[in-house]
DNA sequence: CGGCACTACCTATGCGCATAGATAGATGAA
DNA sequence: TTCATCTATCTATGCGCATAGGTAGTGCCG
């Protein structure tokens, strides 16, 4: 049910079309929440029906049309309520750690490859998030700039600070995952090392 | 689709009933993968149909019956194949970080409460995982002991090591989340601090 | 012996999301 | 002017899972 609030968050800045929002989900917000267009368009219609948004037909070119949504007072209120409420945490369901727990079933090279894939995946995320933090620091994020421009002066520091805080958390997490996978590689090397001296210490 | 492999992992040790497996999902494996019984029972039937398991009616008391499943060769093969294959990582979808990114919309006390809830949640996980690691080190995990008893001698060190490695990763992750939330608390304090001296440094 | 917790299994509904399409107009480069 | 690419929206199917029930036998305590 977070999709709804991710959409509201974006629409607090300015009116947008479903396609605009979809594009944001492919880049900025997409770093914390992803959604395909096939989920976004119906949700926008539901949100309009629920009075959180209002849509408006915009002409586009000669014959083209698009539907631009702007947030209503009720929408702002719903978003604020969600922001002030508490989250319930989902039960753990983690394929990477599930596999790690039974890694003795994998061939040594396959086990190593799991760890390398884990590192590759999180290194790529890390790269994107670092870019994002740099963008925030340099003031080069269009969406954030529009948000800041619209916000009251005393709010701006907070807005930028919380964004940076968020990405720094994601970065720390990714770094942790990489460190873990590296420990995994070392462990695999150790466990599958050729025993040079044949003193299999039977305690 | 990981549920299937979590079930296979457990059934490599010994035959179990749906209820046995459900109990394991409430305790041991539940730390990396959770599933309700309403998902387990149908999946077991599908797995039997797919030839990965074979079920057997067991009498229980006077009139009682239960169905015990044991893994087939095909099941072992399927599990091994999964273990040797690669995982595809799901797109990021993280409610806690989504909220964190817009924390300026929350009241200061609510923002603080989010961070405290994050800390509480991960502290609780941490407690469970620490218990689990201690259990592994002390050899007090019945399921793991049966697994070790069944495994060839040269495998045992690996089995225990990968389990410990898994939990240590989860522990490091939880510690990271707690550290992040603590930085969040500090940030909130800083941003909402009463400006004692009114020198609002306008650069 | 009655009651209650536990074991054991099952069903139904609905949501969120992935995946894979389809349609149609706009825009710009070759 | 054609053709690819982008903008814009929509539909359909199916899986995984949450949630919330239901039934029936077992075992033990008081």
């Amino acid at each position: 049910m977070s999709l709804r609030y991710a959409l509201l968050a974006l629409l607090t800045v300015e009116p947008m079309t479903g396609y605009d929002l979809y594009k944001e989900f492919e880049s900025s917000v997409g770093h914390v929440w992803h959604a395909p267009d096939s989920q976004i368009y119906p949700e926008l219609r539901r949100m309009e029906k629920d009075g959180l948004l209002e849509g408006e037909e915009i002409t586009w070119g000669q014959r083209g049309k698009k539907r631009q949504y702007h947030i209503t007072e009720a929408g702002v209120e719903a978003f604020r309520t969600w922001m002030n409420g508490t989250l319930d945490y989902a039960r753990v369901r983690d394929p990477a750690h599930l596999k790690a727990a039974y890694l003795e079933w994998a061939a040594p090279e396959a086990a190593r490859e799991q760890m390398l894939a884990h590192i590759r995946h999180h290194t790529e995320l890390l790269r994107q998030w670092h870019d994002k933090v740099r963008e925030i620091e340099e003031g080069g994020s269009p969406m954030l700039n529009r948000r800041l421009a619209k916000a009251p002066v005393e709010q701006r520091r907070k807005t930028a600070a919380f964004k940076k805080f968020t990405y720094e958390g994601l970065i720390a997490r990714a770094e942790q995952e990489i460190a873990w996978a590296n420990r995994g590689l070392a462990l695999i090397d150790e466990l599958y090392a050729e025993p040079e001296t044949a003193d299999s210490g039977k305690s």
Side-chain angles (χ1 to χ4, degrees), chain A residues 2-106:
Chain A
S2 293
L3 171 61
R4 169 162 298 207
Y5 299 99
L7 292 168
L8 285 176
L10 290 169
L11 289 167
T12 56
V13 177
E14 58 191 354
M16 297 175 99
T17 68
Y19 192 71
D20 292 336
L21 289 157
Y22 161 66
K23 286 278 135 180
E24 288 299 315
F25 274 84
E26 293 292 286
S27 55
S28 70
V29 213
H31 292 125
V32 286
W33 200 267
H34 173 258
D37 64 336
S38 62
Q39 207 189 348
I40 293 170
Y41 287 112
E43 182 63 23
L44 288 170
R45 273 182 266 126
R46 273 191 296 270
M47 287 164 78
E48 179 166 19
K49 214 185 62 202
D50 294 347
L52 306 178
L53 304 181
E54 263 164 25
E56 185 189 359
E57 287 291 316
I58 300 278
T59 59
W60 165 60
Q62 305 300 310
R63 266 168 303 268
K65 277 167 191 241
K66 55 183 178 177
R67 190 162 186 82
Q68 195 175 55
Y69 292 95
H70 64 93
I71 194 167
T72 63
E73 244 326 296
V76 171
E77 218 23 69
F79 182 57
R80 210 190 305 276
T81 301
W82 183 70
M83 283 303 306
N84 279 316
T86 52
L87 226 57
D88 34 318
Y89 289 82
R91 304 289 298 263
V92 182
R93 199 169 272 117
D94 184 334
H97 281 72
L98 173 61
K99 279 188 91 168
Y102 301 101
L103 217 50
E104 71 272 15
W105 281 83

Side-chain angles (χ1 to χ4, degrees), chain A residues 133 136-137 158-169 171:
Chain A
V133 168
I136 291 168
E137 280 169 346
K158 287 164 192 148
T159 299
F162 285 131
K163 282 240 159 17
K164 216 182 130 197
F165 165 63
T166 302
Y167 281 106
E168 283 171 351
I171 287 169

